[in-house]
Amino acid sequence: MNRFSSVVLDVDSTLSDVEGIDWLAALRGSEVEEWSASLTARAMAGELPIEAVYGERMGIVKPTRAEIAELAEVYLDRIAAGARETVADLSDRGVEMVMVSGGLREAILPLARELRIPEQRVYAVPVFFSNDGTYAGFDARSLFTQQTGKRSAVENMDLRGPVLAVGDGMTDAEMKPVVDGFAAFTAFRRRPPVIELADYVIESFDQLRKLVLE
Ligand SMILES: [Mg+2]
């Protein structure tokens, strides 16, 4: 009997050592990069609601289809140590694995394929392109552009319990009231306000595996 039957995984700075929108912002020069990174850091530390910064960042960054494809490669290159093995092992043991991200869905689908997590269990913000591949907007109504979006989504997913949520940011910690455990993942980022809310603090996918199975 596993301690948890479902695991909800954050993506940016959890499954992979990248903050996708910041990586895209860096393509627009160091000033835009610094501006975006400071907004991300403040949002993930709980100082700013994510909806206050989402549209503003996307409106400046305007990623093209080709840039999203490049970012997808970065997610794969920087995949967390042990993530492939842990996700495969837990899936084999019947644990339901779900990816929930405030990032862009098209950029993380290749990572999901690599982890053999089916597309219907990948929740993130859809981004749109024109026929020529230029940016045509994002789904501003997506729950995942909202501070408590992950919580609302997980509440309606009908996951088999007990459910463990895992992530480095405040939007992950917001899931705590609707799951059975929240683990702060600190391999890439240590955010004290998130750690303070956590039931568990883990710094590797090996520790996640043990936590779920014991
Ligand atoms: Mg994150």
Side-chain angles (χ1 to χ4, degrees):
M1 189 60 196
N2 303 328
R3 187 187 288 167
F4 294 100
S5 299
S6 300
V7 176
V8 177
L9 288 165
D10 171 49
V11 178
D12 292 37
S13 299
T14 298
L15 274 171
S16 187
D17 185 11
V18 59
E19 288 290 333
I21 294 179
D22 293 345
W23 186 89
L24 292 166
L27 301 176
R28 304 290 177 259
S30 58
E31 233 171 87
V32 176
E33 177 182 19
E34 277 165 38
W35 167 77
S36 177
S38 80
L39 289 182
T40 301
R42 290 178 63 198
M44 288 304 107
E47 295 166 18
L48 269 181
I50 190 80
E51 54 264 34
V53 304
Y54 211 99
E56 204 183 338
R57 283 188 309 189
M58 289 296 283
I60 300 267
V61 175
K62 295 186 169 67
T64 65
R65 193 192 331 256
E67 287 166 345
I68 294 291
E70 251 183 89
L71 173 58
E73 288 298 318
V74 175
Y75 276 105
L76 287 166
D77 288 347
R78 301 191 193 167
I79 190 169
R84 280 188 190 86
E85 295 78 0
T86 289
V87 172
D89 187 30
L90 295 179
S91 300
D92 284 349
R93 292 168 189 262
V95 178
E96 213 169 331
M97 307 300 290
V98 180
M99 284 163 64
V100 178
S101 172
L104 303 170
R105 183 173 156 83
E106 287 66 18
I108 65 171
L109 284 175
L111 177 65
R113 274 196 288 280
E114 173 77 13
L115 294 168
R116 297 200 181 87
I117 295 177
E119 273 192 26
Q120 61 270 25
R121 289 205 216 131
V122 180
Y123 299 84
V125 181
V127 59
F128 310 121
F129 306 103
S130 307
N131 285 337
D132 64 357
T134 54
Y135 175 73
F138 68 100
D139 181 2
R141 294 187 337 198
S142 165
L143 276 178
F144 306 103
T145 63
Q146 306 287 321
Q147 184 67 15
T148 55
K150 289 187 179 186
R151 181 200 300 173
S152 314
V154 165
E155 222 176 350
N156 291 309
M157 276 180 206
D158 208 17
L159 295 170
R160 205 160 8 100
V163 178
L164 177 70
V166 183
D168 65 293
M170 195 51 81
T171 54
D172 305 308
E174 297 274 12
M175 287 185 271
K176 198 178 156 180
V178 298
V179 295
D180 302 288
F182 168 64
F185 186 81
T186 61
F188 302 123
R189 300 275 189 283
R190 289 189 71 86
R191 308 191 203 269
V194 176
I195 291 170
E196 206 159 302
L197 289 168
D199 302 301
Y200 313 95
V201 179
I202 53 177
E203 52 188 21
S204 69
F205 271 83
D206 200 43
Q207 285 179 7
L208 171 63
R209 191 179 157 279
K210 289 183 185 131
L211 172 61
V212 172
L213 295 180
E214 261 158 31

